[in-house]
Amino acid sequence: LHTKWKCNGIEFGLVPELEALTWGEYIDIDTNLQDWENIHKAMAVLYRPIKNKMDDTYELVEYTANETYHEFMLNVPLNIVMSTLVFFWTLGNELSTILPLYLPRSLY
C-alpha cells in the first residue's frame, strides 16, 4: 500500500486514520470503490494533498465533497490504485473471518 506519492509537484497522502473517516467520506469511498468507472472519485477521498508534514507524520487538506481532485485522480498511477484495492479487499476478508469471533452465537 502506498501511503504517499507525488504527481505534478503535489504530494498526496492516504487518510492516516481510517477510523476517523466521516460518514460522508465513508459513503463516497464505499460507493465508488466498487465501480471501476468511478474509482477516481474514491481515490480523491482516500488520497488528498498533504498540507503539513513532519517525518512520517502528515496532515491532509480537509475533505470536501466536490470534484476538485476527481479529474486529477484520473491520472493516478495504476500501481497505487491496485495496491489500494488489494488493501481494502484484504482488510474486508480479514474482518469477515474475525467478526464471528466477537458476535454472540445467537446472531449467526
Side-chain angles (χ1 to χ4, degrees):
L1 179 66
H2 298 272
T3 56
K4 292 182 276 192
W5 53 278
K6 193 178 270 192
C7 186
N8 294 339
I10 301 172
E11 188 169 22
F12 288 84
L14 178 66
V15 173
E17 294 182 47
L18 292 175
E19 305 87 25
L21 288 172
T22 65
W23 183 247
E25 289 170 316
Y26 172 78
I27 294 299
D28 288 347
I29 293 167
D30 189 52
T31 301
N32 295 305
L33 202 59
Q34 300 172 31
D35 180 8
W36 186 254
E37 294 295 319
N38 290 318
I39 197 77
H40 62 287
K41 294 177 183 178
M43 296 298 286
V45 180
L46 289 167
Y47 290 93
R48 288 178 261 157
I50 296 174
K51 71 176 174 183
N52 293 317
K53 182 177 166 183
M54 181 179 283
D55 299 323
D56 288 333
T57 308
Y58 54 89
E59 182 182 1
L60 303 177
V61 298
E62 298 299 318
Y63 172 70
T64 56
N66 63 35
E67 299 179 6
T68 304
Y69 293 105
H70 289 184
E71 287 293 317
F72 190 86
M73 291 296 171
L74 289 170
N75 298 311
V76 173
L78 190 57
N79 65 323
I80 293 173
V81 174
M82 296 308 290
S83 70
T84 304
L85 290 174
V86 169
F87 170 77
F88 282 103
W89 179 79
T90 303
L91 180 63
N93 280 343
E94 288 179 11
L95 289 176
S96 68
T97 59
I98 293 171
L99 188 59
L101 300 174
Y102 294 95
L103 293 175
R105 288 207 174 270
S106 61
L107 292 178
Y108 63 95

